[in-house]
Amino acid sequence: MNVFESVLDAVGATPLIRLRRVTAGLTAQVWVKVEFANPGGSVKDRAALAMVRAAEELGELQPGGTIVEGSSGNTGVGLAMVAAQCGYTAVVVVPNTIAHEKVALLQAYGARVVATEGKLPREHPEHVNNLARRIAEETDGGWYANQYDNPANPRIHELTTGPEIWEQTGGRVTHLVAGIGTGGTISGTGRFLKRHGVTVVGTDPEASVYAGGDGSPYFVESVGHYLHPDTVEDTWPTAYDRAIVDRFERIPDGESLRVARRLAAEEGLLVGGSAGTAVAGALRVAAGLGPEHVVVAVLPDSGRNYLSKYFDDRWMTGMGFLDATEGPFVRDVVPQRGLAVVPATDTVAAVLARHGSGPVAVVVPRTSDAPTRSAPEVIGSVDPAELRALVAADPERAADSVTRHAGSAPAAVGHGENAAAATARIDGGKGPVLLLIDGRAVALVPRAVLEQRHETTG
Ligand code: PMP
């Protein structure tokens, strides 16, 4: 039996569980390392405890001191747990885009939560990490944990997570599959397992820059690397050792989230989105392997953190990740033309030179030849006919920035929403409607298309 003197002694030594149902048809075995079984609920308990212990040894953190960190939640919870047990104060700076359950959790542990704008260039003083560093500097006894560059983060995975997986599989593990946030998990666990000939596969949200995406926003939290278009120099965490990753699987958000939901419904494992990403990757890897192979995926946290998002059918259908139980669906009544876009840096004249009729999405500028745009990057819309009339009346308007005439972000509907329900949901608003598939804008149509087409078909 596991009996501990302190909650901190219960960190690590998590179960390894074999997947039985989502693996139907595969011959290779797929096992999952259940990191949500840590006392603070995630893989980050390991790093949090290790970083505090290292700081204590180095004298960087003194008794009664204040631990400060920028975190999308789980590292913050781990640090808050350690702080509570060891008599420190925890201050956690979070991006305002995270699930609200995560904020409530931090507060429940007694941490002070400081929310900051989530989508800021890396250089911005209010960027999560810059703000956390500054608070630590300005606080008496403050210590900035800095999970992104703290060597204690990957090291604890090399010392614990890797050896645990090796032992638990009796040395039979052939493939490690994990996502990359700070990179601590994959770099440390992978470094240990590679010594035993294990292949290391990184799973990355399709839009993340780690595996070659354009850096646009994505909806799986806490993994991958987003790139703000105004970031001058993109820095990657030093906790992430790229040389450890043998290959990548790039996973679209829809695939990650649907696999996460299947893990709950078919395996009884309620996990977060990044666990869905890892298992989606593991299933892809296993599909190409024979029965002698053992694939291990790391499940970083529990789905309890995301009940209002990934496990909420309304959120999922509204974002275009899931179909409603009954049609006709939005996609049955809205024709899917391509998405006409103009970067927010353009002028009215530039729009008129390139676009004839129909609503045009005003988007965050980004070098991308993708035919779709991440939904949060559509910040407004313009109607070329209206702009043309405007310029006819006052030619000086041609030099205006389009943003001056772009209004606010258009209402959005998911392609699998019930058409009547979607129409009712956005009723009362004005302007064109954005059509979403898997969280990406694929078309912008006049509102009448959704409303009238629906009346005639149904
Ligand atoms: N998934 C979740 C839910 C996480 O909180 C984190 C940590 N940011 C990760 C994955 C990635 O782990 P790591 O930082 O060790 O790369």
Side-chain angles (χ1 to χ4, degrees):
M1 279 203 285
N2 297 328
V3 179
F4 302 107
E5 288 286 335
S6 148
V7 68
L8 304 183
D9 296 334
V11 172
T14 51
L16 188 75
I17 298 177
R18 184 167 178 187
L19 298 184
R20 293 281 178 184
R21 301 188 61 194
V22 300
T23 47
L26 301 177
T27 52
Q29 295 181 18
V30 180
W31 295 71
V32 288
K33 184 72 169 153
V34 180
E35 289 298 301
F36 62 74
N38 278 298
S42 89
V43 68
K44 300 306 307 205
D45 285 5
R46 296 182 191 258
L49 179 58
M51 291 190 296
V52 170
R53 290 285 185 248
E56 287 170 343
E57 273 162 35
L58 293 168
E60 292 172 2
L61 181 61
Q62 303 288 342
T66 298
I67 299 170
V68 189
E69 180 64 318
S71 163
S72 57
N74 287 326
T75 305
V77 169
L79 288 169
M81 176 183 75
V82 178
Q85 177 67 210
C86 301
Y88 301 114
T89 301
V91 178
V92 184
V93 182
V94 301
N96 60 6
T97 46
I98 66 167
H100 64 77
E101 292 96 323
K102 286 185 175 175
V103 173
L105 257 175
L106 288 165
Q107 289 167 334
Y109 274 102
R112 184 156 81 82
V113 178
V114 179
T116 187
E117 178 63 39
K119 302 273 181 268
L120 287 175
R122 187 64 189 80
E123 293 79 9
H124 196 287
E126 301 297 307
H127 181 279
V128 176
N129 297 350
N130 301 336
L131 183 56
R133 185 187 295 275
R134 196 167 72 239
I135 291 173
E137 281 165 5
E138 290 170 359
T139 305
D140 220 18
W143 167 70
Y144 176 40
N146 194 9
Q147 56 174 329
Y148 290 91
D149 301 310
N150 192 324
N153 168 13
R155 194 188 313 124
I156 194 65
H157 291 288
E158 185 176 354
L159 294 175
T160 64
T161 321
E164 287 172 27
I165 292 172
W166 185 248
E167 256 179 59
Q168 285 170 310
T169 58
R172 291 173 57 239
V173 56
T174 57
H175 293 74
L176 170 74
V177 185
I180 304 145
T182 65
T185 303
I186 200 162
S187 305
T189 312
R191 187 169 297 134
F192 176 86
L193 291 176
K194 269 175 100 89
R195 287 186 210 124
H196 295 279
V198 171
T199 300
V200 178
V201 182
T203 47
D204 207 32
E206 197 168 43
S208 160
V209 297
Y210 282 145
D214 66 6
S216 59
Y218 46 87
F219 293 90
V220 173
E221 289 181 18
S222 304
V223 275
H225 194 76
Y226 160 79
L227 184 59
H228 191 283
D230 294 340
T231 292
V232 180
E233 195 189 342
D234 186 31
T235 45
W236 287 12
T238 56
Y240 173 37
D241 181 353
R242 288 188 240 187
I244 297 290
V245 179
D246 294 305
R247 68 173 215 256
F248 281 105
E249 291 290 339
R250 294 177 60 191
I251 316 286
D253 284 343
E255 187 177 344
S256 293
L257 300 184
R258 288 185 288 269
V259 168
R261 289 168 61 107
R262 286 187 64 198
L263 286 168
E266 297 176 35
E267 302 278 357
L269 286 164
L270 183 64
V271 296
S274 67
T277 311
V279 173
L283 295 177
R284 288 186 186 185
V285 168
L289 300 172
E292 70 281 19
H293 291 100
V294 175
V295 180
V296 173
V298 179
L299 308 187
D301 75 349
S302 160
R304 285 184 195 217
N305 291 341
Y306 313 94
L307 292 179
S308 66
K309 284 186 167 180
Y310 316 146
F311 296 96
D312 177 8
D313 287 1
R314 284 218 313 218
W315 187 88
M316 287 289 285
T317 50
M319 295 304 303
F321 288 122
L322 191 73
D323 282 356
T325 43
E326 266 180 45
F329 302 114
V330 165
R331 62 173 167 270
D332 299 329
V333 299
V334 175
Q336 262 184 52
R337 337 165 178 171
L339 182 72
V341 299
V342 51
T345 42
D346 266 8
T347 60
V348 166
V351 180
L352 295 182
R354 269 185 283 125
H355 298 280
S357 63
V360 178
V362 176
V363 298
V364 169
R366 183 176 292 285
T367 318
S368 171
D369 49 12
T372 64
R373 292 298 155 118
S374 180
E377 297 214 295
V378 179
I379 56 175
S381 66
V382 286
D383 178 343
E386 280 173 22
L387 293 181
R388 209 165 285 121
L390 194 75
V391 171
D394 178 3
E396 284 190 13
R397 296 274 71 82
D400 283 357
S401 160
V402 293
T403 51
R404 195 167 157 192
H405 305 282
S408 51
V413 296
H415 75 133
E417 274 190 270
N418 174 281
T423 307
R425 187 169 65 73
I426 64 167
D427 189 36
K430 282 195 310 199
V433 177
L434 206 57
L435 181 65
L436 305 182
I437 298 181
D438 277 4
R440 311 248 337 157
V442 300
L444 182 67
V445 298
R447 189 165 284 248
V449 172
L450 180 64
E451 290 166 354
Q452 288 171 9
R453 288 297 189 92
H454 174 64
E455 279 158 24
T456 54
T457 53

